[in-house]
Amino acid sequence: LLEKDVRDRYQSASSALADLRDLRKAIQGDGDLSIVTIGCHDQRSELTEPSFVGREREMDSIKKEIAEVASGKHRTMIAVGKSGMGKSRLLLEAKRIAAQRGFSVYHSVASDQATQEPLAPLLTLVDHLAKRLRYNQDESARVANALSEYQQEVAVAMPNLAEVLGWAGESLVGPEEIGQGRVITAFGEALRCCAANEPALFCIDDCQWLDKPSLRVLEDFAKHNPESIFLLIGSRPQERMSEEVL
C-alpha cells in the first residue's frame, strides 16, 4: 500500500485484506499457497505490464553470470540498446533473478540533468547500503572497520553512510583537499562492503549520462575484480562509456 509506483501497490486496503484472508485460509488448510493468486481482488484502471518475452539469449547470459558471481567471482556486463528497446526491463528481470538467488540488489539510474551532483548514481548505491546497516549494529561495526582508513572521505562524500557509522558531525576537510583519488577509492571500498555476507548485484541504468568521477570509480572498481559482485550496466549504443568501464 505504501509503494511509490502505482503499478507496485494495491489500489485499496480491502484488496490487500482479501489477499491476507486467502493466504490465512490456505495456511490453515493444506498449506498450499500456490492456489492463492495475489492481486486478484484488486481493481486496476490500467493494463498490467506485459510479460517479458523474446530475450531468452540475453537472460541465459545473465543467469550464467549470476551463477558465476554466486560462486565468488566478479562479473561486469553492459546491456546496450536504443531508448525503448527494453534495457530497463532486462535489468529488472536480472534483479528479480538475483534476488531469488540470495543476492543483495542495489539499483541506481544516471540522469541527464545538469544539476546532477558528481558521483550521484554511485551515492544512491551507497545510500542503499546505509539503509541496510541502520538497524544492524554488528554489520555496521564490520563496515566501519573496513572503511576506517577512509573515514574522512566517507564523512564528506557519503553523508548518509557516515551518519549510520557514527562519523557525521566531525570537522573534516573537503574532497578537493582530501584528493579525488582517495574519494574514488573510498567509494570502491564501500561498494565492496555490500558483498561481504552475500553476493551483490549492482544495476546502473542510463549510464550514457554518467559523470566522469562515477566512470572513474567504476573503472577502478572493475579492475580490482571484487569478489561476489555483479556489475550490470544499461546504456545507449552511441556512447563510449562501455569502453571506459570494461
Side-chain angles (χ1 to χ4, degrees), residues 122 204 210 214-222 231 233 245:
L122 301 187
I204 310 177
L210 278 180
S214 294
L215 284 171
R216 286 186 60 189
V217 171
L218 293 180
E219 181 182 15
D220 182 73
F221 184 68
L231 178 60
I233 292 170
V245 175

Side-chain angles (χ1 to χ4, degrees), residues 83-101:
S83 179
M85 295 298 291
K87 298 186 303 299
S88 297
R89 184 63 192 275
L90 187 70
L91 267 60
L92 179 64
E93 288 297 310
K95 290 191 295 180
R96 181 183 62 80
I97 294 171
Q100 291 176 345
R101 291 291 302 268

Side-chain angles (χ1 to χ4, degrees), residues 51-246:
S51 300
F52 186 67
V53 296
R55 290 288 186 268
E56 290 80 7
R57 185 178 65 178
E58 291 85 351
M59 289 309 304
D60 285 344
S61 297
I62 288 176
K63 290 177 182 178
K64 178 181 178 181
E65 301 292 40
I66 287 175
E68 291 290 320
V69 174
S71 68
K73 298 180 181 179
H74 164 255
R75 289 291 185 268
T76 299
M77 176 181 287
I78 180 168
V80 180
K82 296 180 180 180
S83 179
M85 295 298 291
K87 298 186 303 299
S88 297
R89 184 63 192 275
L90 187 70
L91 267 60
L92 179 64
E93 288 297 310
K95 290 191 295 180
R96 181 183 62 80
I97 294 171
Q100 291 176 345
R101 291 291 302 268
F103 279 56
S104 294
V105 177
Y106 300 81
H107 179 74
S108 181
V109 181
S111 171
D112 63 342
Q113 299 298 318
T115 56
Q116 177 178 258
E117 294 290 333
L119 296 167
L122 301 187
L123 186 58
T124 299
L125 301 179
V126 174
D127 286 347
H128 287 323
L129 173 62
K131 291 179 181 178
R132 289 173 181 262
L133 298 179
R134 188 169 296 278
Y135 302 106
N136 190 328
Q137 294 183 351
D138 292 340
E139 191 66 12
S140 295
R142 181 192 63 78
V143 172
N145 182 65
L147 297 177
S148 58
E149 182 181 347
Y150 302 96
Q151 183 170 338
Q152 290 186 330
E153 289 81 1
V154 171
V156 171
M158 311 170 218
N160 289 335
L161 180 58
E163 180 185 359
V164 171
L165 299 180
W167 294 346
E170 298 187 23
S171 177
L172 301 171
V173 294
E176 293 82 7
E177 298 173 60
I178 292 173
Q180 189 71 23
R182 284 187 60 82
V183 172
I184 287 173
T185 303
F187 264 98
E189 291 299 323
L191 295 179
R192 260 184 283 275
C193 289
C194 297
N197 296 324
E198 63 272 322
L201 169 65
F202 296 124
C203 281
I204 310 177
D205 204 358
D206 286 339
C207 282
Q208 68 273 4
W209 306 120
L210 278 180
D211 56 282
K212 289 184 178 181
S214 294
L215 284 171
R216 286 186 60 189
V217 171
L218 293 180
E219 181 182 15
D220 182 73
F221 184 68
K223 283 181 179 179
H224 287 84
N225 295 318
E227 295 181 356
S228 302
I229 289 180
F230 185 9
L231 178 60
L232 181 57
I233 292 170
S235 180
R236 294 181 187 174
Q238 69 271 25
E239 303 296 334
R240 296 185 55 198
M241 60 79 53
S242 59
E243 299 176 9
E244 298 183 56
V245 175
L246 301 181

